[in-house]
Amino acid sequence: MTDTRSIPTIELRDGDPIPQLGFGVFQVPPAETATAVFTALEAGYRHLDTAAAYGNEAEVGQAVRASGLDRGEVFLTTKCFNDDQGYDKARHAFDASLKRLEYDYVDLYLIHWPVPAHDRYVDTWRAFIELQQEGLIRSIGVSNFQPPHLERLIEETGVTPSVNQVELHPLFAQRGLRRVHEDLGIVTEAWSPLGQGRELGEPVIKEIAARHDRTPAQVIIRWHLQLRNVVIPKSVTPERITENIDVFGFELDSDDMAAIEALDAGERIGPDPDTFVRPQ
């Protein structure tokens, strides 16, 4: 088990610290979620990322309770999906998520996608602001937002998201968006941080891994951490879950970091946030 004190945190603009390395459950079947999350908590993870759209919020909550950890020891994120946007619907969606999790607050609540075609993300954000003021959410943020979406939220509400969770991996390093986040004081969080496994076979990454006596996955996670990204790898394999958190005993040098950054090809795996509405 990794000593949880070794996992760095980043202070969000709301004032709460977010563990920089977390455990994601995207595409983890509900029947496997509780076991995977329990294994992750035993391994030392204290940051869990789920979403209403994943269909496994209830199992995440069950695993936290089964772990015996106090609720305050676990940083819990969930998300409001596209059809639940709009002020009233977002509030109802949040209530439903709390009931599934069986907790009375979440640490971070995200608008899952901007869905500009529906033009409801500003009203959704107003609901988030009120829910935070009511003490039901510690920090509020967004996911998959582009700079114009972020700018509009800030201009129309005066409240800047604490986090933007976006697709980010060596072949899609999002340098421009990361600079925007830095300017606005928004924390960058990476989903699909390993490029859904595609980048594990990259010769540059394999060479760096061999030199450090680490796995390619560990090298990529370490790259994210040194960029000050929050990173949420996911797995249902106990060995991988443990391997992905064992990244605090080595450091990449500037040449390693530059070599990985040079892999950036602007290759997005997931949907385009400017056009995505719902899965087909």
Side-chain angles (χ1 to χ4, degrees):
M1 173 176 167
T2 295
D3 184 346
T4 57
R5 291 171 298 183
S6 67
I7 300 175
T9 60
I10 297 174
E11 187 168 314
L12 300 176
R13 61 184 309 111
D14 314 83
D16 278 350
I18 183 171
Q20 204 182 348
L21 177 57
F23 184 73
V25 294
F26 174 57
Q27 294 181 333
V28 178
E32 299 177 41
T33 299
T35 298
V37 171
F38 186 85
T39 300
L41 292 170
E42 281 198 316
Y45 294 85
R46 293 295 181 267
H47 172 187
L48 304 173
D49 180 275
T50 184
Y54 301 168
N56 54 22
E57 289 173 307
E59 290 76 14
V60 170
Q62 290 165 15
V64 175
R65 286 184 292 280
S67 74
L69 294 167
D70 291 338
R71 171 65 185 86
E73 294 181 69
V74 180
F75 188 100
L76 188 55
T77 300
T78 192
K79 309 176 190 77
C80 177
F81 198 55
N82 304 349
D83 291 338
D84 290 323
Q85 286 202 34
Y87 177 85
D88 291 328
K89 291 183 78 173
R91 289 195 64 108
H92 290 313
F94 177 75
D95 289 342
S97 284
L98 277 190
K99 286 176 183 174
R100 287 189 290 268
L101 289 163
E102 296 185 54
Y103 285 116
D104 56 8
Y105 75 96
V106 297
D107 296 278
L108 179 62
Y109 197 43
L110 306 178
I111 302 177
H112 207 151
W113 292 87
V115 199
H118 289 174
D119 194 23
R120 294 199 289 261
Y121 64 85
V122 175
D123 285 339
T124 304
W125 190 239
R126 291 192 173 102
F128 277 37
I129 293 167
E130 288 193 5
L131 288 164
Q132 184 183 34
Q133 290 169 344
E134 292 165 18
L136 298 170
I137 307 169
R138 295 282 178 84
S139 296
I140 55 176
V142 296
S143 183
N144 302 299
F145 273 49
Q146 304 277 57
H149 309 140
L150 296 171
E151 290 161 9
R152 185 176 172 204
L153 279 189
I154 297 164
E155 287 172 4
E156 296 195 23
T157 69
V159 177
T160 301
S162 60
V163 168
N164 190 14
Q165 184 186 116
V166 296
E167 179 182 346
L168 203 163
H169 43 84
L171 291 179
F172 192 63
Q174 297 261 42
R175 278 175 282 193
L177 184 58
R178 283 190 277 129
R179 283 194 295 269
V180 170
H181 290 169
E182 188 172 356
D183 290 343
L184 294 173
I186 297 172
V187 170
T188 300
E189 185 168 6
W191 63 257
S192 280
L194 305 177
Q196 296 183 2
R198 295 188 313 167
E199 275 120 283
L200 300 182
E202 285 286 337
V204 167
I205 290 171
K206 290 173 70 176
E207 187 275 327
I208 294 170
R211 189 151 31 81
H212 288 278
D213 194 23
R214 296 285 178 158
T215 68
Q218 288 172 323
V219 165
I220 294 174
I221 292 168
R222 186 73 211 176
W223 172 76
H224 281 285
L225 294 173
Q226 290 182 214
L227 288 177
R228 285 187 59 78
N229 296 337
V230 173
V231 56
I232 46 170
K234 67 101 174 177
S235 178
V236 296
T237 306
E239 294 78 14
R240 292 276 190 272
I241 292 171
T242 301
E243 173 189 300
N244 288 344
I245 200 174
D246 183 19
V247 291
F248 300 103
F250 76 108
E251 189 166 334
L252 303 177
D253 63 27
S254 58
D255 290 340
D256 295 334
M257 295 292 290
I260 297 171
E261 195 94 354
L263 294 173
D264 185 14
E267 295 181 4
R268 191 187 290 276
I269 297 170
D272 182 342
D274 286 318
T275 58
F276 181 69
V277 175
R278 64 176 61 86
Q280 298 301 312

